[in-house]
Amino acid sequence: MPHFQGLMADRGATTMLIIALILMILYTFAPCSGANVKIGVPENYDGIFPWYLAKLHSLPGNYSDLVVGGDDEGIFGVDAQFLYALKPLDREKRPSYSLQVSFRTSEHRQSFTVEVCVIDKNDNVPTFIEESMRGSVQLGLLKGIPFMQVEALDRDDRNTAHAELRFSLMEQTPRIPSSQMFFISSITGEVSLTEEGASTLDPEMCGRYKLSVMVKDMAGKANAFFTSGIVTVEVTGNTWASPDPVRLQENLPGPYPIPISQVKWSGSQAEYSLEGEFPEMLFTISREGVIYLNAPLDRETQDQFQISIVVERPDGREIAKPVELRVMVGDANDNRPTFPEAQYHTVVKELAARGTEILTVQAADNDDPKTDNVRIFYRLVGQIPESPRALFRVDRDSGVISVQADSMEGTAPQYTLTITAEDAKGLNSSCTVFVTVQDENNNPPLFSQHEYGPFHIPEDASVGTTVTAVLAGDADVRGGDSWKVDYRLESGNEEEVFTLVTDKQTNEVSLILSKVLDFERESEYILVLSAQNPVALVRGRYGPASTATVSIYVDDVNEGPILSQSHYEVTVREGEEPGRVIATIRGYDPDSHPIRYSLQGDTKKYFSIGKYSGELKTVQALDREENSTYTMEVIAVDGRNSSLSASTLVTVHILDVNDNSPVLVGDYSWKYLCTPRWEEQALVLASRDSDGPQHGGRLNFSLRSDATVRRNWKLTPINDTHTNLSLNTPYLAPEVYTVPFTISDSSSPPRSTFINLPVTVCPCNVRGNCKMAAKQLQGMPTIQSAVGILLGTFAVIGTILIVVFVRLSYQNPRQPSKTSQERVPLKISI
């Protein structure tokens, strides 16, 4: 203790100065409720006595006979309204004093309470509660699980940092197998294993450890008091281990629960629980670690259980790693063998040999496959139809169904078999097997006769006409692949004039005309027709009876002419000299009759055609600008039968020739340009060329090569046919100007037109309106002259009318009697 007392003496002067400042604050701000006063006073004051603690502000001005009561130790007194102490206070002996201060006034005696609270000072060193600290740690304990607790005490005020303790582990002896085997909680003092300690703890390597521990107050700060001690830790073994596997028979008769195993944690108090894949409450564990089975087991539902046994502290923290209990369920023969399907379907060929396997049925037994409980025997117990018997058999051990008869030919198309599966205990089940006897191709198709025909067909018969229909019969089962027949023309149809269409329902084949016939080219067809099945023959072969000959004669018919093309496209340059042959229409008559040609649709008679030559000629020169395309029809007529004819279309395209010059389009006499020049003001000039785009596609405007013209005017193209005419100088004198320019087409060589365009230039107001009348162009009529011409025209018409009426009056004199007057038709000779 001298070490700690010396430390206290060294810090005394500084500490008293701080306490005096705190005391002044407490005196100033000490709460006072009514007549009661509360004062905080630090302990262990070592200054001058009496020690004045506080002024009593609650005293009236006319008080007398001031007395302090409640002080059994004679520590406190009052002097001139000041409360004082005669010796130091010790909080650890007495933390507070309750004093009664009484005084007399002119009326009567009064009193109030003064509560003196002793303020704690860190003047006590923390100490361990036990001088000899011992603990034990068990093998298998997890890291962080406390196995003991180090406790210490500090007499200072628990509500201050003076008694706030912190623990630390200073050293471990011995330092094997690791120097960091243990850990101590700085707050609680609980000692536990580190991760290294939990994994490497071994009592054979080291059975006892000494730990040097320290406890500090002031929450472990640098100026804290501290005490050190030694903790002895014994390493002990543990019975916590996985129990032996347990084997239980399924469907045990009970009574339940049945104890099946037990575990125990040999260390501190522990609680147990079970985890694993099993129904709730099937297995439980008691507080003593006894494991119980609570209901019968079913091996077919689950044949074994892996149960994890968890050990925990009462607060729910896991102490050690769980151990495992394996429970195996023994089998009892309590399941009948069952087939995965109630019905099976299979096929056997009609030519199958004895012993041919057709199906394997397998039943399953849910009992233990390692026991004889799952051995299964198979039996054939039924066959429908029953006759003939002994067609099939089933192997007793394997379940293989096979053919037992020498042949399946002539049997029923389908059989229904009943198969039973039975185990050694006699538990059994059955399934149904449907066996279809599959027809095999052991019969070739045969024609009823060797030759068919001859058949007559006119040469003008339409495509799709049926010539005949024949049938090759097959003795195999109707509708199957062995019964179906594929027909083929082996010879005589090299040009594919005929095609075959088979009726899949009857096997009848129709011979169909697929191309136009020509008597003059081929008058007779001898076709060789064969019949085969789509699947291979398994017995026998195709003989002469599977082949037949079909004879067809083509009857001659007078045919019309045939033209070589259905449409002719002809090109002619415009303006070519008439009479030139522009196309020759070619045709022939299958019967070698002469052909006459004529035109239809040439309404303007621009063309002619040779009556027998078919030469098409122009009658007059053609103009593309008048019409660029002509379409007409050429009729070819049989020279001996005018009702037989053929026709073709002829389209004549006129090729363009550059025979038109471009022209200016539109009236520009009323338009004007402003001077001084207005920006973006221009006259839009339009032009046109009657030729096609090849010659008149883009039209070019160009000013005359004159310096004055090019200085005053400017042409700006807009598109292929329009251009802008504008002033090229800021100012021109107002008057009517003649602008000379040329319009040229895009042909080579080009055709051009020279234009002298009158353009009015005038001053304009702010709205762009011309402020002077345009001058009259030479050769253009004025308004006065136009009115004079109109009046003169009216005068001439009036004179003619007067003459006519005068002549009428002389030719028709009035008669004396109106009733007998004859009406003579008016006759006028001019």
Side-chain angles (χ1 to χ4, degrees), residues 3-4 7-8 11 14-15 18 121-126 154 156 161-162 164 215-226:
H3 170 74
F4 302 115
L7 181 62
M8 292 174 60
R11 297 184 299 186
T14 304
T15 304
I18 296 173
K121 179 181 178 183
N122 190 18
D123 56 349
N124 290 278
V125 177
D154 193 309
D156 289 322
H162 302 157
E164 189 173 351
V215 59
K216 289 184 177 182
D217 62 10
M218 296 296 292
K221 293 182 179 178
N223 60 347
F225 294 129
F226 62 87

Side-chain angles (χ1 to χ4, degrees), residues 191-210:
V191 182
S192 60
L193 290 172
T194 63
E195 186 169 357
E196 286 185 81
S199 61
T200 62
L201 191 68
D202 185 356
E204 295 183 359
M205 181 179 296
C206 181
R208 177 181 296 172
Y209 290 91
K210 290 188 178 295

Side-chain angles (χ1 to χ4, degrees), residues 778-797:
Q778 293 182 1
M780 297 296 291
T782 64
I783 296 177
Q784 294 82 357
S785 63
V787 172
I789 293 171
L790 184 60
L791 292 176
T793 303
F794 285 154
V796 172
I797 294 173

Side-chain angles (χ1 to χ4, degrees), residues 19 22-23 26 38-45 51 53 73 75-76 85 87-99 114-123 155-160 162:
I19 292 174
I22 296 174
L23 186 60
L26 290 172
K38 188 173 184 179
I39 301 173
V41 179
E43 67 173 333
N44 301 329
Y45 175 70
W51 178 22
L53 305 179
E73 301 178 17
I75 299 176
F76 300 97
K87 63 179 181 178
L89 305 180
D90 187 354
R91 193 202 67 82
E92 284 72 36
K93 292 181 179 180
R94 187 171 179 177
S96 65
Y97 298 85
S98 183
L99 308 177
V114 176
E115 184 176 355
V116 178
C117 298
V118 183
I119 300 173
D120 184 47
K121 179 181 178 183
N122 190 18
D123 56 349
R155 296 180 60 203
D156 289 322
D157 188 355
R158 294 184 180 181
N159 297 321
T160 66
H162 302 157

